[in-house]
Amino acid sequence: MTGPSLAAALTPVSGGSDDRAMVLAAFMAFIVLSLLLCVLAGPEDDTTADFYIGNRSLTPVQNALALTGDYISAATLLGVSGLVAVAGYDGVALAVSSCLAVGVFLLLAGPLRNAGRYTLGDILALRSPGPSSRIAAATATLAVCLPFLVLQLAGAGSATALLLGLTGPGAQQVCTVFVGVLMICYTVLGGMRGTSLVQIVKVAVVFTTMVLLAVLVLGHYGFAPGSLLTAAERGSGLHDRYFEPGHAVGGGAVGRFDFLSLQLSVVLGGACMPHVLMRINSATDGAAARRATRYAIAIMAVFFLSVVIVGLGAAGVVGGQKIRAVDSSGQMALFLLARELGGDTSGVAGSVLYTAVACSVFVTVLAVVAGIALSAAAALAHDLYAHAAHRGRMAERREVRSARWAVGAVGALGVVLAAMAQGRNLQSLTYLALALAASTVLPACLYGLFWSRYNRTGLLWTVYGGILSTTALYACSFSFSGAPTSLMPDHDFHLIGLQSTAVMAVPAGFLLGWAGSAVGRRVRPAEGAAPNPRWRERVLVGAEDE
């Protein structure tokens, strides 16, 4: 699902000074608490295992909470709940797709953990040792992470400016820099263990808030699900068409095909994001990875059930026409619902409810960008610098130091791009990032883990061919130009009448991997590029890290 426009969604914060002051106080309290957690739980020594994976010290339950935090983004809170409110069936289907992404990851969690060490490059190098596989893995990681990082930083900057009652573009750019500096501090000070604790705190806040809202919605209708469904259908403005597909991206065959492509990108792309793969490497072994993922699925199921209930409640309590009048995509539904439900309580209780919703969005954005920055920095420091440039013969202390500098470099680049992009509609970048993950990272991992004939040429074709084809398809779609929601709405040179092109990009990625492997079998392998002869044993049963 596309990332929401946080600036639009948080406009009402500036409406009430009491609410704004309470939200600001809670937001600053979270910043202080999270920085303190990062300092206390940060790396105890300058070893790569401590910085990248926290010495695998998290329990399966803690890892499950952190993994859940990686999957919950601002799009989940605002986008999915809003889509349920204004589009009914399509929103519920997207919530189910988000849960299915974790289910797909469950099938891969054990083998990925057995094959991996720290990064995506470690997983791919098991079958194709050498600098080329490391460079390809780092390229894929950065290609997927950078659009997400820019999107989240830009939204967080806009939201922070609105907290302070500022609406000018200059203020939003300054706040973007402020949030970016915070993200860099989280990652540099805390490493994997510190960012994991921030994710755990985030999940506690967001999960509690959404469950509370769901309970309040059910209580509003006497805990009768039938009454809730009837009210949502009546209040949505769509009447008996509310639970029919085709409201999210348009009706007809093209619209349904576009929505199918979006669901495909959410399920397959969400299952193999680089920061999620790095997270699962922090599990002690493959069995612990599967256990953590099962726990995460249970948490996500309850969470998304709450999201659906809240979306239905927004349609019934607030009304679809009022939600669309503020934001046609429905991304304001969560805040409007909190305001309406808060009106049924005392003034303080209503302000607390609204504050909890607003802070949930802030917490979500800040925690997500820290995890993304860590995975991107690890790709630069571990795959490119330590292995591709120095052939894996770098001292651990020096590698950790380079990783911290890489965090600063990635963060600075993300901040600059996000500040320059303020005022643009960046939500289509999520389409690009998810499609890239599904068409490059997923085929490379599946082929590398389970296909014995996969080779270095197939890997390079998968990654570079997948990136080029997916980016080209994105540039020719409505996501890039030709629509008001495009990245470049003032231009129109689209050739594909779809928002999401994953339905074409994903098969292309798999075909490129197969074709490259067929070509590579005719080429004599380069010296030192032979795969680990025990790769299958390691993938299936695990082995000690090198």
Side-chain angles (χ1 to χ4, degrees):
M1 183 57 194
T2 57
S5 172
L6 295 182
L10 292 169
T11 301
V13 174
S14 61
S17 58
D18 292 340
D19 286 345
R20 185 168 65 246
M22 185 176 292
V23 171
L24 181 58
F27 185 42
M28 296 306 296
F30 172 77
I31 291 174
V32 173
L33 174 62
S34 56
L35 285 174
L36 181 62
L37 284 175
C38 286
V39 171
L40 295 178
E44 298 176 356
D45 49 44
D46 287 336
T47 62
T48 53
D50 202 1
F51 187 78
Y52 291 139
I53 55 176
N55 276 330
R56 299 197 168 103
S57 58
L58 295 180
T59 66
V61 173
Q62 291 172 330
N63 230 337
L65 291 171
L67 183 62
T68 303
D70 285 325
Y71 273 105
I72 296 177
S73 67
T76 307
L77 286 177
L78 301 181
V80 177
S81 59
L83 195 63
V84 172
V86 300
Y89 173 89
D90 291 344
V92 176
L94 193 61
V96 174
S97 299
S98 301
C99 276
L100 287 177
V102 194
V104 172
F105 184 69
L106 175 62
L107 301 176
L108 302 175
L112 286 170
R113 168 60 193 93
N114 291 335
R117 190 181 180 197
Y118 301 143
T119 64
L120 175 63
D122 292 324
I123 297 173
L124 301 184
L126 180 66
R127 292 292 309 281
S128 178
S132 58
S133 63
R134 296 282 183 174
I135 296 172
T139 302
T141 299
L142 293 174
V144 174
C145 288
L146 196 57
F148 262 132
L149 187 63
V150 172
L151 171 67
Q152 297 292 330
L153 282 174
S158 300
T160 306
L162 288 168
L163 271 179
L164 302 175
L166 306 173
T167 57
Q172 293 177 354
Q173 292 175 339
V174 170
C175 290
T176 299
V177 175
F178 170 71
V179 173
V181 171
L182 281 178
M183 175 266 297
I184 293 172
C185 292
Y186 288 161
T187 313
V188 169
L189 295 175
M192 174 60 78
R193 189 156 42 198
T195 55
S196 296
L197 289 181
V198 174
Q199 290 282 21
I200 291 171
V201 172
K202 158 196 156 180
V203 170
V205 172
V206 174
F207 186 85
T208 303
T209 300
M210 295 305 293
V211 170
L212 175 61
L213 275 175
V215 171
L216 290 175
V217 167
L218 291 174
H220 186 82
Y221 293 101
F223 294 95
S227 299
L228 171 61
L229 294 174
T230 301
E233 185 179 45
R234 183 172 57 250
S236 66
L238 301 174
H239 306 294
D240 57 348
R241 296 181 292 110
Y242 181 63
F243 292 110
E244 295 179 0
H247 302 297
V249 289
V254 175
R256 296 186 181 185
F257 187 72
D258 197 1
F259 190 69
L260 174 64
S261 183
L262 172 60
Q263 289 180 294
L264 184 69
S265 68
V266 170
V267 174
L268 300 183
C272 57
M273 297 297 290
H275 60 288
V276 175
L277 300 184
M278 188 171 180
R279 166 76 57 201
I280 210 62
N281 282 330
S282 65
T284 55
D285 51 35
R290 289 190 296 270
R291 191 179 308 117
T293 308
R294 285 197 297 268
Y295 294 158
I297 290 174
I299 299 170
M300 294 283 281
V302 177
F303 173 79
F304 277 108
L305 177 61
S306 301
V307 168
V308 170
I309 292 173
V310 168
L312 294 172
V317 175
V318 180
Q321 292 184 348
K322 184 176 180 180
I323 295 172
R324 294 187 193 91
V326 179
D327 183 357
S328 60
S329 65
Q331 294 169 3
M332 270 288 295
L334 191 61
F335 289 90
L336 293 173
L337 176 64
R339 180 70 71 190
E340 290 289 337
L341 293 177
D344 296 337
T345 62
S346 64
V348 175
S351 296
V352 168
L353 180 63
Y354 187 85
T355 300
V357 172
C359 287
S360 295
V361 178
F362 298 139
V363 169
T364 298
V365 173
L366 290 176
V368 166
V369 296
I372 295 173
L374 180 60
S375 63
L380 289 175
H382 183 69
D383 292 324
L384 287 183
Y385 192 54
H387 282 82
H390 290 82
R391 306 288 178 168
R393 294 187 290 269
M394 180 183 292
E396 289 195 44
R397 185 181 296 271
R398 185 181 175 189
E399 182 178 338
V400 172
R401 185 165 60 248
S402 68
R404 290 193 167 103
W405 281 106
V407 171
V410 170
L413 178 60
V415 167
V416 170
L417 293 177
M420 293 174 58
Q422 282 290 352
R424 286 187 173 273
N425 191 347
L426 301 178
Q427 59 187 14
S428 68
L429 291 179
T430 306
Y431 287 124
L432 175 62
L434 288 173
L436 283 170
S439 62
T440 58
V441 179
L442 182 64
C445 288
L446 287 178
Y447 282 150
L449 292 174
F450 304 115
W451 189 26
S452 60
R453 296 186 177 184
Y454 195 52
N455 53 37
R456 183 172 63 91
T457 305
L459 170 63
L460 299 182
W461 282 36
T462 301
V463 173
Y464 296 118
I467 290 175
L468 289 175
S469 61
T470 303
T471 305
L473 288 170
Y474 170 79
C476 295
S477 70
F478 273 134
S479 290
F480 190 70
S481 68
T485 57
S486 301
L487 183 65
M488 302 181 66
D490 297 331
H491 299 80
D492 187 1
F493 37 81
H494 79 279
L495 300 175
I496 303 172
L498 301 175
Q499 293 282 348
S500 174
T501 55
V503 72
M504 293 177 282
V506 174
F510 278 96
L511 285 173
L512 285 167
W514 170 82
S517 297
V519 171
R521 284 196 292 273
R522 305 190 189 101
V523 180
R524 184 176 180 180
E527 185 177 353
N532 185 338
R534 300 180 59 190
W535 68 269
R536 192 183 299 276
E537 175 187 350
R538 177 160 179 169
V539 167
L540 296 178
V541 301
E544 294 295 326
D545 290 328
E546 299 175 358

